[in-house]
Amino acid sequence: MECLLSWIAPRICLLCGDPLARSQGIPLCQDCALKIEVLKGPRCSICGRSLFSESGTCYECRDLSSPLLLVHPLFAYRGEAAELLRLYKARGRVSLAPFWADLLTPSLERRHDWAIVPVPPRQDKMRKGIPDQVEAIAAILERRGFQVSRILERLSSDQQKKLDKEARKSNAEKSYALSPKATRPLPRRALLLDDVVTTGATLRSCARALREGGCEEVEALALAYD
């Protein structure tokens, strides 16, 4: 039966196009999966970006005396990681969610007493029933035993990708708030979950809402920074 299904609807690796066995859980061959490496080397202690000539903090973060939150991205938005994220976000390849969840798990295990707070999607996206990439990962992590708290909501329906950098930052900083359905008290430690960080305004807005609601510590875990 597996051979017949492979002939009728062959599965291929999303990156290299090589055929995959039906038993392969994610649409990615082993060789390509190994190319998606988590960032190594010196990282900025605030935004998590790779450091080259800087020490401790990157150029953009060095003047922040009291940052609102620390961000921990897994990758730079480059190469195979960027291509895979484009397929996941723009092409709706939700079958990649377990792969991302696997890569996030070691960081989450080090923060086992933190509640994962997924960044909520646009409201128009929810109304249309479009799958949310961040929620897909959060749902898998929740099934694996991690605590997930869906306590934020997005107030604005403006699409960030249609705005320039400054407009995107301004829009995001006022677009998130605690959900009226949020159970109190809020988690003492909250770990925001997002896919790609650009200006960081979205995460700062979410962190501000969580802190104002009573969270004592807020950090963020993201798949990549751009």
Side-chain angles (χ1 to χ4, degrees):
M1 177 62 73
E2 180 173 328
C3 292
L4 178 60
L5 288 173
S6 298
W7 181 77
I8 296 174
R11 299 180 73 246
I12 62 172
C13 173
L14 292 179
L15 289 180
C16 70
D18 283 353
L20 300 173
R22 298 296 302 182
S23 57
Q24 180 74 21
I26 58 173
L28 202 63
C29 71
Q30 185 175 6
D31 289 342
C32 288
L34 292 174
K35 294 178 182 177
I36 314 297
E37 294 186 359
V38 175
L39 285 169
K40 298 177 181 178
R43 309 269 294 274
C44 176
S45 60
I46 296 176
C47 71
R49 286 174 165 79
S50 296
L51 294 177
F52 299 99
S53 59
E54 307 99 324
S55 177
T57 56
C58 68
Y59 179 79
E60 293 185 2
C61 295
R62 66 179 55 177
D63 294 329
L64 298 177
S65 57
S66 55
L68 187 60
L69 83 163
L70 306 181
V71 183
H72 310 282
L74 295 186
F75 322 102
Y77 195 70
R78 307 286 186 274
E80 287 88 354
E83 177 60 24
L84 211 57
L85 278 165
R86 281 192 289 268
L87 291 169
Y88 185 58
K89 289 169 61 67
R91 301 290 182 87
R93 297 282 188 170
V94 182
S95 55
L96 286 168
F99 176 69
W100 303 125
D102 289 344
L103 293 177
L104 289 166
T105 293
S107 296
L108 293 169
E109 288 177 339
R110 293 193 293 270
R111 301 173 178 83
H112 60 87
D113 58 339
W114 292 62
I116 301 169
V117 181
V119 172
R122 302 190 312 271
Q123 292 182 1
D124 63 321
K125 187 175 182 180
M126 297 174 64
R127 287 193 296 268
K128 294 176 182 178
I130 300 174
D132 177 53
Q133 295 88 353
V134 175
E135 172 56 31
I137 298 171
I140 292 172
L141 294 171
E142 188 173 37
R143 291 196 293 270
R144 294 180 181 181
F146 293 101
Q147 179 186 354
V148 176
S149 298
R150 299 170 179 84
I151 52 179
L152 292 174
E153 66 175 5
R154 181 164 180 165
L155 303 177
S156 173
S157 60
D158 292 337
Q159 295 186 38
Q160 292 285 84
K161 62 184 180 181
K162 293 183 178 180
L163 305 175
D164 61 26
K165 185 175 181 179
E166 287 305 314
R168 183 181 301 181
K169 179 179 178 181
S170 175
N171 184 63
E173 287 180 345
K174 58 185 179 182
S175 294
Y176 297 87
L178 284 178
S179 168
K181 300 178 182 179
T183 302
R184 306 300 173 87
L186 298 187
R188 189 174 72 85
R189 291 179 163 181
L191 187 65
L192 288 161
L193 178 63
D194 205 0
D195 44 22
V196 179
V197 182
T198 50
T199 66
T202 289
L203 291 176
R204 287 193 296 273
S205 177
C206 291
R208 186 176 293 108
L210 292 174
R211 288 186 179 280
E212 290 175 353
C215 291
E216 297 177 18
E217 296 182 64
V218 183
E219 296 186 9
L221 187 60
L223 295 182
Y225 70 79
D226 188 8

